Each structure stands twice: as C-alpha cells, then as structure tokens.
Amino acid sequence: MTKIDTVKAFVFRYPLLKPVITSFGIMNDRPMVLVCISDKDGQKGWGEVWCNFPLIGAEHRARLIDNVFSKLLENKLIENPEKTFDDLTESTNVLSIQSGENGPISQCIAGIDIALHDLLAKKENVPIWKKFGGKNNKVPIYASGINPTDPVSVVQKELNKGITAFKLKIGFGLDKDLKNIEAVKNIISKNNLLMVDVNQAWNLSQAIDQGKMLENFDLNWLEEAIPANSPLENWKKLKANIKIPLAAGENFFSDETFNGFMNMNLFSILQPDLAKWGGFTKCISLSKRIVSTGINFCPHFLGGGIGLIASAQLLSASSSKGLLEVDCNPNPLRSDLVGNMLNLNPGFATLSDKPGLGYEPDLNKINKYLVAH
C-alpha cells in the first residue's frame, strides 16, 4: 500500500533514417510515452503507453495522462495495482464512451498499471517476473520490424548477432511478398524460424488465396492476416482453409475476446500487448490461461525500452516457451533504456534480479529526443 504523489508523462520521438513500413502506414520516427508515478516516500515506478499510431498519437495520450488520469491518481491511496486498474477503468468508462476513445484510454491505463506494478514491487523488494512466478531469467527473442525494402541485409545482420528467429512484414502485393520470403528463407537455416505479419492488410478471400501460396515456405506463423475485428466466422474459415499456424492478439482488448478465441482454438499463437491493453494486471493472468490451453504465448511489443522490459518480465512470469518480440531497427529509446538486457546472452533477453522492472531509466541519455512533458 502506498500514497501517490505525482503522475507525469514524457513524450520522446527518435527520427528514423529508414522509415518503418507497415501495410497500413509508415513511421518516420519512433515515438515513446513514458509514465512516471512517484509516491509520498519518493519511490518511482515507470510504465510505457503504446502510441505508435496515429502518428500524432503520442502527444494525445500524454495529455490524457496529464489532464485525466493524474487527477484520478494524485493523493490516492493505492492498495494494489489490480484494484486501481478496475477503479480507473470504471472512472473513465463514460468518458471512453462519450469520446469514442476506448483505445487511447485503455492504453493510458495499461501504461499506468505497468508503472504501479514497478513501484509496488520495488517497495516489496522483488522483481516483477519473480513476483508472478517466473523461474527463468532468460527468454528467447525474435527480430521484428523487418521491412519489405531490404529484408535480406537486415536478417543477415541479425544472424550475425546470434538471432535465430525473424518476423517479416508482408501485405505489399503477392509478388513482392513471395520474393522477400524466398530471399530470407535462402539465407537462414532449417533450424531458424520465420514468421510473417500481414498487419491486417487482407480481406478473407485474399487471406485464403495468398495464405495458400505461402504454405510451402514452412512458416512458423501468419500474423493478423485479416482485420482483428473480423467476425468469428471469418477466422474459422481462414483456419479451415490454410495450413499455416495463425497468430493475433495485439488488437484484442478484453478478457472476453481472448477467452472466446481460446475456447474456439482458432489461434496457435496469441500475442497480447501489455502496453496497449491490460498492463500486468490483465496480462499476467491472461498469459497463464493461454499457456494452460496449450496455445503459444508470445507477447507483442514494438515501442521503447520500458515496455520491452515489461514484456520480457511478462513472458518469464507466464512460463511460456514463446518468444519475445524485439524491433531490429535502431532505436535509442529502446537500446539506451534496457541496460545489458539484450547483450548478455545472444538470442535471449536476460532479466534483472533488481526489484520491480529491474531498470531505472536514465532520461539524460535520451533527453535530446524529448518533445513534451
């Protein structure tokens, strides 16, 4: 239990030399929204809010924290993060309906939840991953964010670092997709993993037709082949018509949705994003349910360092044999905040035994990318 003193949001943007390309949009910089929650004892907890899209979304989410959530939290006595998650959800329910902004509000609550878990675990002197039952301080990683423009050189660089699993972005036309997949398959070994991410670019007919064209590549999963909010019947038809394991989850935003898909056994891999929905409060229990059903749990994350550390801790706590998503594009908002987490053991993220998230971000390292606070 603790009493909150201040809640602050920070917006950073790292300009990219090479844009990050998805089937639905191009990012010319990498944004990051950090949340810092301080209690009356001076202890701090850190969280991260998903903010990649729309491209102006980071500043908006930070203002939501400053103008809505700080007022709900400052001077509040926190019994535990789980109760606070429910309180914040209930307190902003009508605002969410009235504004039509369920996504940004849920993302702010998720980032706040990460920060509260960090703060409380520090006061309890326990790492989050151990607090929730994690036994392994190492989790395997895969290289993500591989653009369609020059995937071979990117994959080769990651191979040289000891990475053995890769996710390629597709959905840019069948010819280009096939050429890129074949080129990558030609430079990786049979023991390496290759996944592809459509980023919701296809309708059901396209997903079935083009999915069949990909079956001979021995892909480990096909991610978000159709829009995440597609009718259940469409997901059933997709699973029935192609042989590639299906993955999704970063754009599912409720226990009911995840539980429904688990009950239907439609996905081989589920990928909730704890900075986008749920934080630790929802995603710890969800990840354990996913594992208990025999589905592979691989947390989604593509942002800054605090969210990546939190995702690694979540993966360890879940006891899943899944992989941690790590963006392979240069980004000091990630690399300058995670310490040696990605360097100690090639191909793995190594977790700290320090309390909370285990890493206290040094904002001085990235201060030149600060655009709002």
Side-chain angles (χ1 to χ4, degrees), residues 108-146:
C108 289
I109 294 174
I112 288 167
D113 183 80
I114 294 169
L116 287 176
H117 275 280
D118 182 36
L119 191 157
L120 269 295
K122 285 174 179 172
K123 297 182 82 72
E124 296 165 12
N125 199 33
V126 60
I128 291 173
W129 64 277
K130 284 187 176 181
K131 178 179 179 178
F132 291 107
K135 304 298 183 185
N136 197 339
N137 74 330
K138 293 194 303 181
V139 293
I141 68 177
Y142 73 90
S144 180
I146 302 173

Side-chain angles (χ1 to χ4, degrees), residues 76-260:
K76 180 180 176 65
L77 190 64
I78 304 296
E79 297 179 31
N80 56 67
E82 294 81 6
K83 183 178 186 304
T84 304
F85 184 98
D86 291 340
D87 290 345
L88 292 177
T89 302
E90 182 177 355
S91 297
T92 56
N93 180 53
V94 173
L95 175 62
S96 177
I97 296 169
Q98 184 70 24
S99 63
E101 294 203 333
N102 179 62
I105 288 172
S106 294
Q107 292 148 21
C108 289
I109 294 174
I112 288 167
D113 183 80
I114 294 169
L116 287 176
H117 275 280
D118 182 36
L119 191 157
L120 269 295
K122 285 174 179 172
K123 297 182 82 72
E124 296 165 12
N125 199 33
V126 60
I128 291 173
W129 64 277
K130 284 187 176 181
K131 178 179 179 178
F132 291 107
K135 304 298 183 185
N136 197 339
N137 74 330
K138 293 194 303 181
V139 293
I141 68 177
Y142 73 90
S144 180
I146 302 173
N147 287 337
T149 49
D150 188 18
V152 170
S153 65
V154 173
V155 171
Q156 188 60 62
K157 288 179 182 178
E158 296 302 304
L159 282 168
N160 295 341
K161 297 177 185 177
I163 305 300
T164 60
F166 311 90
K167 188 169 76 178
L168 173 67
K169 291 183 177 296
I170 64 171
F172 303 96
L174 184 59
D175 288 345
K176 187 169 191 175
D177 291 344
L178 291 174
K179 287 179 181 178
N180 281 340
I181 294 170
E182 184 174 12
V184 172
K185 290 292 286 188
N186 284 338
I187 67 165
I188 64 176
S189 77
K190 292 182 179 180
N191 295 324
N192 294 155
L193 306 181
L194 180 61
M195 298 77 76
V196 293
D197 187 355
V198 188
N199 287 124
Q200 310 181 81
W202 297 336
N203 59 35
L204 177 61
S205 177
Q206 290 173 316
I208 292 173
D209 292 343
Q210 300 195 40
K212 287 181 180 296
M213 299 291 289
L214 305 182
E215 289 179 344
N216 292 330
F217 288 107
D218 191 28
L219 298 171
N220 293 89
W221 75 61
L222 175 65
E223 185 171 331
E224 287 200 323
I226 58 177
N229 65 350
S230 296
L232 185 61
E233 192 61 33
N234 286 11
W235 287 109
K236 290 181 182 178
K237 289 179 181 177
L238 181 60
K239 180 178 174 61
N241 281 279
I242 66 170
K243 299 175 182 177
I244 308 170
L246 299 181
E250 67 182 270
N251 291 306
F252 299 157
F253 303 120
S254 70
D255 283 319
E256 293 77 14
T257 300
F258 278 105
N259 291 340

Side-chain angles (χ1 to χ4, degrees), residues 252-311:
F252 299 157
F253 303 120
S254 70
D255 283 319
E256 293 77 14
T257 300
F258 278 105
N259 291 340
F261 281 123
M262 281 188 276
N263 291 336
M264 295 301 299
N265 196 29
L266 293 174
F267 295 100
S268 299
I269 300 93
L270 281 173
Q271 308 162 294
D273 187 324
L274 86 169
K276 201 169 191 180
W277 171 81
F280 283 113
T281 288
K282 289 293 186 179
C283 290
I284 287 287
S285 58
L286 171 60
S287 66
K288 292 178 184 292
R289 294 200 307 276
I290 291 171
V291 172
S292 71
T293 63
I295 298 171
N296 199 4
F297 167 64
C298 296
H300 175 274
F301 187 72
L302 207 69
I306 296 301
L308 182 61
I309 294 167
S311 299

